[in-house]
Amino acid sequence: APQPTTPENAEVQASPWLEKWQQNKLSWSLIGGVTIIILAIMSIYAATLKARSEESWQTLQNVWNTMVMEQSLEKDLLVRDLGPDLANLVKTTLGSMDFLPKILTQDQEGKASDKTLDEFEVRKLPNPLRDTVLRQYNINQLQEKFASAGRTSAGPWLAYTLAQLHFANHEPQEALKYYEMLKSKYNQSVLTHNLLDVQEQTVVENEIQWMKSQQVGKSSPFAKVGSKTNVVFTTSKGKFTMQFLQGQFPKNMEKFLDLVNQGLFNGINFYKSDENLLYSGCSLGTGKGNPDWVTELELKDLIIQRGLVAFVTTEKDATKGDTRFYIFKKYPWLEANKRHAFIGQITSGMEVVDSLTTTDVLLDVSVVSNL
C-alpha cells in the first residue's frame, strides 16, 4: 500500500525535479529572460505601430481636406515649416514681402506687416504657387509616414493618396509605382478590392505612354533660365540684363532676337508703368501696338516670378502679339492664372527696372553671348 506523504518522504519524492532544476536552472533562467524580452519588444513594437498608424491617419485627414476642400487645415503652417527646399522655392519665386500685393502683406488694420517670407502663412500665398508647394509638402509628409507606417492599416491609403498626388504633380511614373504596390503589397486590403477604380491606373499608364511617344518630360510650373545668350537693356537710368528661358519658348525667343537685331527697341519709351508691371516695345510709342508686326506666339501657364518678361498679346486673339512686352515687378495677384507669352527673365538690374517710369527711355537693346 502507498505510504502517506510526510515532510520527510515529500523531500525525497521531489528531489529528482529539484535536481533537474538545479542542473538546468541557468538555461531555464535564460529562456525565461529571453521570453520576457521578446514579449516586451513585441509590446513596444505594437505600441509604436499603433502610434505611427494614428499619426498617419491624422496626416491623411489633413491632406484629404487640402485636396478635396481646396484648403489646408494647417492654418498655422508657415513658409519655414515647408522645409528648406520648398521655403527657398517660395522666396526665390516671390523675392520678398516687398514684392507681394498689399492685400497679402497688410494686417487687419491696413498697416504693413513686419513679417519676413519665412514667417508668412502658407494659406495666404497667391495661387498657383500655394497649391504647388502644398502639394509637394503633402507628398513629402505622406512619403515620410509611408516609410514608417507602411505595415499599418493606414498603409494602403497612404499609397493610394500618394498615387493621386504624384499624378497631379505630373509624375505618372511615381503614381504607377504606388498603384502597383496596392495590387501586390496590399492585395488583401478592402481599399484594393472594393474602392480602387481600375480606370485610374489605366489613365496613368496611358499618360506615361503618351509622354514617351511625345518625348515629353515632367513639365515644371516654374520658369528656368539657361540660355547662353544675354540681352542687355540700356536705359536713361542704367542697365539691366535678361536671359532667355531654357528651351521653353523658342518661337518667342526667335521673334525677340529678330526685333533686337532690327534695332526696333532702340530709342523708344516705356509707355506704361505701375507697381506690378513695366511696359515697353511699342514701335509707335503710344502703347497701342503696330498691326504690321503681329505674329503667332507660344503661351504657357507658369508661376509668375519677379523679373519675368513676356510679350503683350492682342485683345482679339490671345495667341498673337506684336512688338510690345512687359516685365513683372511683383506677383500679379489678379493675373495669377493667366497664360503668358514668356520671353525670359531679368537676371541682374531689377533695381533699375523698379526705378523706371514713363518719362524714361529705352536707349539700346543688344545681344551678348555668355563667356
Side-chain angles (χ1 to χ4, degrees), residues 44-289:
I44 294 172
Y45 181 67
T48 302
L49 283 182
K50 181 180 179 182
R52 289 174 179 174
S53 178
E54 291 174 352
E55 291 175 2
S56 297
W57 281 114
Q58 184 59 56
T59 302
L60 278 165
Q61 182 65 50
N62 292 339
V63 171
W64 288 336
N65 277 281
T66 302
M67 293 169 58
V68 178
M69 301 173 62
E70 298 184 355
Q71 63 181 1
S72 174
L73 292 181
E74 300 178 87
K75 294 184 178 180
D76 296 327
L77 183 67
L78 305 180
V79 169
R80 66 184 177 212
D81 299 327
L82 295 171
D85 291 341
L86 289 176
N88 286 334
L89 180 60
V90 170
K91 287 183 280 188
T92 300
T93 303
L94 299 181
S96 74
M97 294 288 283
D98 295 334
F99 306 128
L100 282 174
K102 292 180 180 178
I103 189 173
L104 297 178
T105 59
Q106 293 177 339
D107 58 23
Q108 294 180 348
E109 298 178 357
K111 297 180 181 179
S113 172
D114 58 355
K115 293 181 179 179
T116 64
L117 269 178
D118 278 324
E119 302 168 315
F120 197 65
E121 296 94 335
V122 173
R123 63 190 176 91
K124 290 184 178 180
L125 288 175
N127 261 330
L129 178 62
R130 183 189 66 214
D131 287 348
T132 301
V133 296
L134 259 181
R135 183 166 56 246
Q136 188 58 54
Y137 172 75
N138 286 334
I139 288 175
N140 294 344
Q141 295 292 300
L142 290 179
Q143 286 178 334
E144 180 182 340
K145 298 300 181 186
F146 187 72
S148 62
R151 295 180 179 274
T152 69
S153 61
W157 288 97
L158 289 167
Y160 180 66
T161 310
L162 279 166
Q164 291 184 312
L165 285 174
H166 276 296
F167 186 75
N169 212 32
H170 306 290
E171 298 169 326
Q173 288 283 7
E174 288 296 310
L176 182 61
K177 180 179 75 174
Y178 286 103
Y179 279 123
E180 293 289 354
M181 199 177 298
L182 277 168
K183 293 195 301 183
S184 58
K185 186 176 180 179
Y186 303 110
N187 60 331
Q188 300 301 318
S189 169
V190 174
L191 172 63
T192 307
H193 280 282
N194 299 325
L195 299 180
L196 179 60
D197 185 353
V198 294
Q199 292 299 320
E200 291 185 20
Q201 183 169 342
T202 302
V203 170
V204 172
E205 291 172 344
N206 290 341
E207 180 75 7
I208 292 173
Q209 292 303 316
W210 180 85
M211 291 177 69
K212 287 181 178 179
S213 65
Q214 301 295 318
Q215 296 183 339
V216 176
K218 179 185 176 182
S219 178
S220 172
F222 296 93
K224 292 184 179 180
V225 295
S227 169
K228 295 182 179 180
T229 302
N230 284 328
V231 180
V232 179
F233 298 76
T234 302
T235 74
S236 51
K237 286 185 177 176
K239 296 181 179 182
F240 58 91
T241 303
M242 180 189 78
Q243 195 171 85
F244 293 107
L245 301 183
Q246 189 175 23
Q248 291 178 286
F249 301 90
K251 186 184 294 185
N252 298 351
M253 172 181 169
E254 183 180 351
K255 179 189 176 181
F256 195 84
L257 284 173
D258 182 52
L259 296 173
V260 170
N261 291 332
Q262 292 184 51
L264 193 69
F265 298 134
N266 299 340
I268 64 175
N269 64 324
F270 294 94
Y271 64 85
K272 183 180 178 182
S273 178
D274 56 38
E275 66 174 5
N276 294 320
L277 297 163
L278 175 69
Y279 291 82
S280 187
C282 179
S283 57
L284 303 179
T286 61
K288 294 183 179 180

